[in-house]
């Protein structure tokens, strides 16, 4: 069987996500395993060209991984038919103009989220891609976290019956940068640079909720900036103009209520950095990045409220751990394999720029809800 090369323009590959998740853990890992197997037995082999602003950095990255193609001239590769795919890992602010250029050059597009800073621009990208007839995909990595894959399995097996509610906690303390360096890039805390936890995390929550629980019909959110001043990578103080925490309620088609707290100003007192509790008529589950534990209806304890006697019952011990059962793959790699099959053999793919636009709409309406102090009803999004 034949191996077919497929050139990928990897823009922003020196960044945190571009380098670690997309280049090393996805594209290089796919190359190491011999490409992506297609239905006809052929293999699709990704051939990346590294793109960024700093040629020296790219040269160093390419040498580190035995790659020989890199450039700081995006147009030179956009006009090269050897690269049918454009992939974008830039800071959010730089994304829309770059993707517009890629679509105009007839490239298929794969991108980090959020796809844009505004819903109007996100929708415009989806429309442009449709008009140009190019394939398009947006990362949806949280669905591939081992804990969330187990949740998917539980839902598919009918474990919950009707899902009543979901409560989620996401976040951890991001250092201010004064006496300990911050562990996330400073642009995330400046609204003018595309930062903000609503724009960052609601783009994830949209596809997580849509794909696990149903279409989001309304949002109520309170977004705040708890830490007003931070210190950047160069040791310079700056005003944190973006929200660093959001407390939100999403109502989902079918009646489930999803409450999610997202915060860079919270200290972790849970097993994992993200944790969702799903309560259904027939059972409940608590899922994290890796773990998933369940409590079925017929093994549910019967607590009685009594403030006079200390409660000796160990509630945590009532839960059953769900086994992995299957080997765990890196989610970014799995998404890339799906997208490459979508491009290479037209395999179905639903996480497109329109799905990305729904995520951006949720962020925008979440911020509007917070500013206006009211619940916002969300109509279905159409092109
Ligand atoms: N899927 C996820 O879980 C996840 C997690 C973190 C970040 N992200 C998203 O990934 C994207 C990149 O985030 P990151 O944390 O890797 O950031 P980063 O700051 O580490 O990297 C950003 C990249 O963009 C480049 N860049 C910066 N400003 C630019 C400009 N003006 N023009 C062109 N290029 C520019 C940088 O050189 C770098 O290569 C963001 O959109 C972010 O929302 C996604």
């Amino acid at each position: 069987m034949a191996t077919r090369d497929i050139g990928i323009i990897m823009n922003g590959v020196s960044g945190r996500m571009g380098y670690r998740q997309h280049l090393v853990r996805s594209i290089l890992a796919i190359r190491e395993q011999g490409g992506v197997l297609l239905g006809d037995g052929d293999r699709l082999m990704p051939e990346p060209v590294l793109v960024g602003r700093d040629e020296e950095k790219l040269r160093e990255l390419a040498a580190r991984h035995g790659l020989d193609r890199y450039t700081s001239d995006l147009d030179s590769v956009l006009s090269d038919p050897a690269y049918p795919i454009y992939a974008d890992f830039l800071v959010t602010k730089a994304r829309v103009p770059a993707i517009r250029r890629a679509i105009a050059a007839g490239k298929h597009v794969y991108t980090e989220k959020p796809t844009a800073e505004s819903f109007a621009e996100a929708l415009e990208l989806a429309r442009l891609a449709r008009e140009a007839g190019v394939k398009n995909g947006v990362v949806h990595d949280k669905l591939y976290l081992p804990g969330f894959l187990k949740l998917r399995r539980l839902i598919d097996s009918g474990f919950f019956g009707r899902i009543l509610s979901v409560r989620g906690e996401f976040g951890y303390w991001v250092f201010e940068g004064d006496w300990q360096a911050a562990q996330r890039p400073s642009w995330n805390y400046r609204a003018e640079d595309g930062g903000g936890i609503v724009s960052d995390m609601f783009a994830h929550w949209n596809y997580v909720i849509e794909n696990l629980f149903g279409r989001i019909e309304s949002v109520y959110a309170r977004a705040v900036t708890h830490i007003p001043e931070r210190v950047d990578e160069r040791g310079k103080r700056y005003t944190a103009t973006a929200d660093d925490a959001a407390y939100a309620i999403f109502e989902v088609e079918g009646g489930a209520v999803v409450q999610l707290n997202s915060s860079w100003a919270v200290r972790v007192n849970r097993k994992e950095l993200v944790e969702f509790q799903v309560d259904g008529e027939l059972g409940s589950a608590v899922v994290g990045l890796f773990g998933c534990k369940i409590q079925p209806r017929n093994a549910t304890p019967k607590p009685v409220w009594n403030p006079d006697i200390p409660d000796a019952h160990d509630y945590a011990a009532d839960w059953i751990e769900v086994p992995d059962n299957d080997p765990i793959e890196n989610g970014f790699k799995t998404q890339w394999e799906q997208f490459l099959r979508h491009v290479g053999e037209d395999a179905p793919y639903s996480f497109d720029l329109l799905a990305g636009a729904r995520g951006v709409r949720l962020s925008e309406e979440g911020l509007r809800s917070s500013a206006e102090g009211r619940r916002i009803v969300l109509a279905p999004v159409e092109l």
Side-chain angles (χ1 to χ4, degrees):
M1 292 294 168
T3 296
R4 288 194 262 146
D5 289 347
I6 183 152
I8 304 174
I9 299 166
M10 301 191 75
N11 198 11
V13 77
S14 64
R16 219 164 51 114
M17 298 307 293
Y19 178 65
R20 184 85 209 129
Q21 295 303 337
H22 292 281
L23 181 66
V24 177
R25 303 280 278 141
S26 300
I27 297 303
L28 295 183
I30 291 171
R31 283 167 62 82
E32 263 160 45
Q33 75 183 18
V36 174
L37 186 62
L38 301 177
D40 62 4
D42 282 0
R43 286 183 166 273
L44 212 49
M45 180 64 83
E47 290 293 343
V49 55
L50 312 187
V51 181
R53 293 171 301 173
D54 181 342
E55 205 141 304
E56 195 42 51
K57 230 189 230 172
L58 296 169
R59 190 197 327 273
E60 192 273 317
L61 267 186
R64 194 187 309 163
H65 296 287
L67 299 167
D68 51 8
R69 282 175 281 187
Y70 59 89
T71 180
S72 57
D73 180 2
L74 178 60
D75 284 327
S76 72
V77 277
L78 283 179
S79 59
D80 187 340
Y83 302 103
I85 297 177
Y86 169 81
D88 192 297
F89 326 113
L90 299 178
V91 284
T92 309
K93 207 176 174 50
R95 178 157 299 130
V96 170
I99 292 183
R100 270 202 208 110
R101 280 159 76 190
I103 294 173
K107 303 295 178 191
H108 304 302
V109 170
Y110 185 72
T111 178
E112 260 298 346
K113 47 53 61 182
T115 56
E117 287 185 281
S118 73
F119 176 47
E121 284 180 314
L123 206 55
E124 182 208 337
L125 290 184
R127 194 173 293 123
L128 288 173
R130 178 169 295 183
E131 283 165 9
V134 297
K135 297 206 157 74
N136 50 98
V138 182
V139 296
H140 47 285
D141 50 287
K142 303 293 178 266
L143 289 174
Y144 301 91
L145 294 172
F148 282 75
L149 286 174
K150 291 176 200 171
L151 174 57
R152 168 89 268 159
R153 246 179 12 213
L154 288 171
I155 292 171
D156 291 348
S157 73
F159 170 77
F160 295 105
R162 188 165 60 91
I163 290 178
L164 312 173
S165 69
V166 180
R167 281 175 301 118
E169 286 285 338
F170 166 84
Y172 45 91
W173 192 267
V174 175
F175 279 93
E176 299 89 327
D178 49 355
W179 65 287
Q180 283 197 57
Q183 65 272 44
R184 304 186 78 247
S186 62
W187 65 264
N188 285 280
Y189 303 90
R190 290 188 295 266
E192 62 276 23
D193 288 336
I197 202 164
V198 169
S199 138
D200 188 346
M201 293 313 298
F202 283 27
H204 288 296
W205 298 149
N206 187 76
Y207 67 74
V208 167
I209 295 171
E210 262 184 17
N211 285 281
L212 292 171
F213 310 117
R215 195 184 80 75
I216 304 174
E217 292 184 327
S218 76
V219 56
Y220 170 78
R222 179 81 185 105
V224 287
T225 307
H226 287 304
I227 308 289
E229 196 180 75
R230 291 177 175 269
V231 174
D232 71 11
E233 291 80 358
R234 295 191 183 86
K236 207 168 153 264
R237 281 195 177 276
Y238 66 95
T239 303
T241 45
D243 42 289
D244 58 13
Y247 308 94
I249 298 177
F250 308 96
E251 287 172 287
V252 171
E253 198 171 28
V257 179
V258 180
Q259 298 174 69
L260 296 180
N261 293 331
S262 316
S263 178
W264 303 124
V266 66
R267 296 187 175 88
V268 178
N269 179 19
R270 47 189 129 88
K271 240 179 126 184
E272 308 205 55
L273 299 188
V274 62
E275 224 165 58
F276 277 32
Q277 172 159 342
V278 181
D279 289 303
E281 272 181 319
L282 304 182
S284 296
V286 175
V287 304
L289 243 76
F290 295 97
C292 173
K293 55 189 184 180
I294 55 172
Q295 187 172 110
R297 175 178 194 252
N298 37 19
T300 303
K302 193 177 189 180
V304 177
W305 182 264
N306 185 347
D308 299 322
I309 304 169
D311 191 346
H313 188 87
D314 182 356
Y315 292 98
D318 293 328
W319 295 77
I320 307 162
E321 204 64 48
V322 176
D324 290 342
N325 287 359
D326 293 311
I328 293 165
E329 279 276 11
N330 177 289
F332 285 88
K333 173 169 171 262
T334 305
Q335 298 171 87
W336 262 108
E337 289 171 331
Q338 288 176 354
F339 186 69
L340 288 171
R341 280 193 203 100
H342 180 49
V343 172
E345 61 181 358
D346 210 18
Y349 190 89
S350 59
F351 302 98
D352 56 8
L353 284 168
L354 188 58
R358 291 196 294 275
V360 176
R361 196 264 301 253
L362 188 64
S363 303
E364 199 166 283
E365 296 299 340
L367 287 172
R368 188 152 74 96
S369 162
S370 181
E372 297 177 7
R374 65 186 182 91
R375 170 179 166 272
I376 309 251
V377 172
L378 303 172
V381 174
E382 279 159 24
L383 274 183

